[in-house]
Amino acid sequence: MESSSPGRDHQPDLATLISDLDQDRAWLLQQIDSGRWPELRLDLAALERELGQLLVRAAERLEGDARRT
């Protein structure tokens, strides 16, 4: 049985997850921009920004890990 790095097996899954979450973030931004949920606008906008930053960091880390292997 061949041994492999735990991170290697999950990279495509993580890349897909990051992409899916980014699409959800973009959808949320569209909803906010269209005026949906006005009473939650500030909180949702903050959540969208934080999610965007998290996804950028996760994608950069995943890319860095892939280059090292």
Side-chain angles (χ1 to χ4, degrees):
M1 183 173 189
E2 188 175 318
S3 173
S4 65
S5 166
R8 278 185 156 176
D9 294 47
H10 299 290
Q11 284 183 354
D13 293 336
L14 289 175
T16 300
L17 177 60
I18 291 168
S19 176
D20 290 349
L21 287 171
D22 193 48
Q23 289 175 4
D24 291 343
R25 183 205 55 80
W27 176 85
L28 178 59
L29 184 58
Q30 287 177 334
Q31 300 304 306
I32 294 168
D33 287 347
S34 72
R36 198 157 188 191
W37 311 298
E39 67 282 1
L40 299 174
R41 180 175 168 74
L42 293 177
D43 291 332
L44 290 173
L47 175 64
E48 183 275 327
R49 281 190 300 275
E50 289 180 33
L51 181 56
Q53 292 170 357
L54 173 68
L55 294 174
V56 166
R57 288 193 309 265
E60 287 172 350
R61 182 165 179 176
L62 185 61
E63 192 175 294
D65 289 350
R67 276 190 244 146
R68 284 190 286 257
T69 57

